[in-house]
Amino acid sequence: MTPKVAIIGAGFGGLCMAIRLERAGIRSYTVFEKGDDLGGTWRDNTYPGAGCDIPSHLYSYSFEKYTSWTRRYPGQPEILGYLEHCADKYDVRRQIRFSTEVTAAAFDGSHWQLTTATPGAEPEAFDVVVMGVGQLNRPHLPDIPGMDEFEGTSFHSARWNHEHDLTGRRVAVIGNGSSAAQFIPRVAEQAERLEVFQRTPNWVIPKPDATFGPAAKLAFHFIPGLQRAYREWIYRYAEGTLYPALAQGWSQDLLKKRALNHLHDQVKDPRLRARLTPDYPPGCKRVVIDSSFYPALCRPNVDVVTEKIVRITPKGVKTAESPHEVDTIIYATGFRSTEFLSPMRVTGRGGRDLAEQWAGGAEAYLGISAPNFPNLFMLYGPNTNLGHNSIVFMIECQVNHIMACMPYLSQGMRLEVRPEVMAAWRDQLDAAMARMVWGDGCQSWYKTAEGRVTNNWPGPSTLYRRLTARPPRPAYRQV
Ligand code: NAP
């Protein structure tokens, strides 16, 4: 029997799953995509300067060698182009149902019934569901009083308003994470005045970008093993130097020193420097990797405001100390990262509601499988985010695990992770988490309001690869 597989989301995760099924000759899958195009986060985040701060030769599928990257850190259009290239090359686009949002997945004792937002559509039954919706897919808008009263134009960084010309505008940016750091230099060039409202400073390290000219591209293409060796070098460098910093090991001081040097090199005004210096260990929040962020903050038309925002008024942003009149507000306030799979309603065996099961924080074995939810697998699920390496690597590990389950699923089995396996997993995660830098000292999108780190993987990614490469069957029981 060939299992009928539903894949939800056509971003890096969902496409990887589809391609691997396609290559294994399992064509009985459907990809549900709520947007009208593929690409996930790389379709949604089109703000000026959007790109990836993980080098492209690593931030790509291991099975799809791509030698056309134009630069070390490519922009959003190029990454989206890569995903389109993969979808076409592996012929998975025909299996994607665009503009079809899955609103509910319910296990009826033998199958998963998927309900979509499409008017008049009946629920559809599947043997297996693979969630590929990502962690950063739903913009977070802050709850600041008066936001509805603003008379100018406002939007979230992940829903950029390209119709709104920023030339000559007075702009407020709320937030200063990785997204803001990428677009602020572009906005600063256009706007008459830019005020960046910073609640907490971030650690920032340089981004050593470079272009790949025709000679480099030819070399990657024609010299056997060169591209793979380069990819491997980037991976090992991140793993060997950045991971120990997050685990509060030997390189943490080096990371701090690198960031402080970068700050001193780029920001000469000691008062601004003081405002931009974090008071928590580097890595606690996602480190910003960018070389043009600080220079933009030093421009005469840019100000970094650290006073607390008390409300949005019709004319701008009011802080505890003064009003700031602006005509545009850009919310670079991140994503609803800890609400995994939400707002989809997921109901498992015995009517168990996944949101209720996760009331204390999302968790899943390997970040992939949750007890009471047989044949439901997650990509980039709980505790699989990295602060130091490529998520595409993690996604491929997860897809490997799910593919290793396929022979059993093809026999019609319903696999559910054993409760004792889940309990042991939780204990291991907690023990590993204790040594990581994310726990105390800062708030971040990695954790719930109660302080449980639900998003990050606390080990080296090499360990995750080993764990996901083990034969999966012993961890599961048949239900
Ligand atoms: P983010 O890192 O979550 O940053 C959100 C920002 O908004 C923070 O500065 C936060 O301040 C601020 N904020 C939130 N609520 C606020 C409020 N009520 N009042 C004032 N400030 C508020 O979001 P992001 O920049 O979109 O990045 C999210 C993640 O996406 C990154 O960490 C990264 O993993 C990924 N990303 C990656 C790349 C890449 O190149 N690979 C690029 C962009 C994004 P606090 O710090 O005080 O909370």
Side-chain angles (χ1 to χ4, degrees):
M1 155 216 176
T2 323
K4 206 176 156 199
V5 183
I7 300 169
I8 304 179
F12 254 111
L15 288 176
C16 185
M17 190 70 227
I19 291 169
R20 291 290 303 280
L21 286 172
E22 190 72 34
R23 291 175 79 188
I26 301 174
R27 308 244 148 77
S28 48
Y29 67 90
T30 305
V31 183
F32 291 86
E33 171 50 60
K34 74 173 190 279
D36 59 4
D37 206 350
L38 55 79
T41 197
W42 297 108
R43 176 204 56 215
D44 289 345
N45 285 274
T46 60
Y47 57 77
C52 189
D53 58 15
I54 302 289
S56 48
H57 280 273
L58 180 62
Y59 193 78
S60 45
Y61 299 128
S62 62
F63 54 80
E64 181 50 22
K65 177 178 156 173
Y66 194 67
T67 54
S68 313
W69 296 114
T70 61
R71 54 193 320 118
R72 193 179 288 159
Y73 299 95
Q76 170 266 341
E78 209 173 336
I79 302 170
L80 186 59
Y82 171 77
L83 286 172
E84 282 166 355
H85 155 83
C86 293
D88 291 335
K89 175 169 173 183
Y90 294 97
D91 197 20
V92 298
R93 204 187 276 266
R94 63 188 160 72
Q95 296 293 95
I96 306 176
R97 264 190 235 168
F98 290 108
S99 305
T100 309
E101 181 180 4
V102 174
T103 52
F107 186 67
D108 66 7
S110 64
H111 289 90
W112 281 95
Q113 301 288 344
L114 295 196
T115 306
T116 65
T118 309
E122 292 290 315
E124 204 173 328
F126 289 87
D127 301 300
V128 178
V129 175
V130 179
M131 298 284 186
V133 300
Q135 294 190 3
L136 302 170
N137 58 348
R138 295 173 63 220
H140 159 77
L141 277 174
D143 190 15
I144 305 173
M147 281 171 60
D148 291 346
E149 293 161 23
F150 182 57
E151 286 171 357
T153 302
S154 64
F155 51 90
H156 188 276
S157 60
R159 301 288 182 269
W160 197 268
N161 181 347
H162 290 279
E163 310 283 291
H164 184 66
D165 185 2
L166 291 170
T167 311
R169 303 266 184 194
R170 286 165 304 150
V171 180
V173 171
I174 300 182
N176 58 315
S178 300
S179 300
Q182 291 185 340
F183 71 72
I184 279 172
R186 310 294 177 97
V187 173
E189 281 171 10
Q190 284 181 284
E192 179 199 303
R193 240 231 75 74
L194 169 59
E195 291 179 284
V196 179
F197 290 82
Q198 171 192 281
R199 193 165 61 178
T200 319
N202 279 308
W203 290 102
V204 182
I205 57 173
K207 183 161 88 172
D209 202 3
T211 51
F212 295 126
K217 283 194 229 170
L218 283 174
F220 281 131
H221 194 76
F222 287 110
I223 299 177
L226 179 66
Q227 195 264 357
R228 195 146 293 276
Y230 179 57
R231 180 182 167 97
E232 191 63 23
W233 177 80
I234 307 165
Y235 174 77
R236 282 176 193 267
Y237 177 80
E239 207 58 24
T241 59
L242 285 177
Y243 174 74
L246 304 185
Q248 313 198 69
W250 67 271
S251 57
Q252 198 183 37
D253 284 347
L254 282 183
L255 178 61
K256 187 169 178 175
K257 207 178 254 177
R258 191 157 171 233
L260 284 174
N261 285 344
H262 184 51
L263 178 62
H264 278 253
D265 285 350
Q266 293 200 323
V267 181
K268 300 299 173 198
D269 173 358
R271 279 174 311 166
L272 178 57
R273 217 158 50 207
R275 269 181 281 163
L276 296 174
T277 307
D279 62 357
Y280 57 86
C284 187
K285 288 169 175 291
R286 170 68 149 77
V287 171
V288 171
I289 307 175
D290 205 285
S291 298
S292 45
F293 178 47
Y294 284 150
L297 299 183
C298 296
R299 289 172 63 109
N301 66 329
V302 178
D303 196 14
V304 178
V305 182
T306 53
E307 298 152 17
K308 188 173 159 38
I309 299 173
V310 290
R311 70 174 297 118
I312 305 294
T313 66
K315 299 281 173 230
V317 181
K318 187 170 183 331
T319 63
E321 282 147 55
S322 49
H324 299 257
E325 278 202 12
V326 294
D327 49 46
T328 307
I329 301 178
I330 304 172
Y331 293 100
T333 42
F335 299 86
R336 302 170 75 146
S337 54
T338 55
E339 300 172 9
F340 291 84
L341 307 187
S342 182
M344 212 184 311
R345 174 124 201 258
V346 184
T347 323
R349 208 161 47 80
R352 184 68 76 105
D353 185 276
L354 188 58
E356 275 172 29
Q357 180 163 312
W358 282 352
E363 56 174 22
Y365 169 63
L366 297 171
I368 299 175
S369 307
N372 302 310
F373 295 83
N375 287 9
L376 182 133
F377 302 95
M378 284 167 265
L379 303 173
Y380 195 20
N383 295 110
T384 63
N385 179 57
L386 298 179
H388 72 284
N389 216 323
S390 171
I391 295 307
V392 184
F393 172 91
M394 300 295 274
I395 286 170
E396 285 199 58
C397 292
Q398 291 143 18
V399 172
N400 287 342
H401 176 88
I402 301 168
M403 290 307 290
C405 292
M406 275 299 153
Y408 308 103
L409 302 171
S410 298
Q411 292 167 34
M413 287 187 189
R414 287 184 285 275
L415 298 180
E416 178 180 312
V417 65
R418 295 176 183 279
E420 65 276 17
V421 170
M422 183 64 222
W425 177 253
R426 188 181 300 126
D427 290 347
Q428 285 165 23
L429 268 187
D430 287 348
M433 205 61 87
R435 67 167 178 267
M436 301 307 290
V437 69
W438 311 306
D440 297 326
C442 79
Q443 191 44 260
S444 76
W445 66 262
Y446 297 159
K447 52 189 174 187
T448 61
E450 294 73 36
R452 184 167 180 81
V453 179
T454 51
N455 291 64
N456 281 12
W457 166 243
S461 66
T462 45
L463 172 62
Y464 189 75
R465 173 164 51 189
R466 277 206 302 283
L467 294 174
T468 45
R470 288 190 306 200
R473 184 68 182 89
Y476 292 88
R477 62 181 181 180
Q478 254 203 91
V479 295

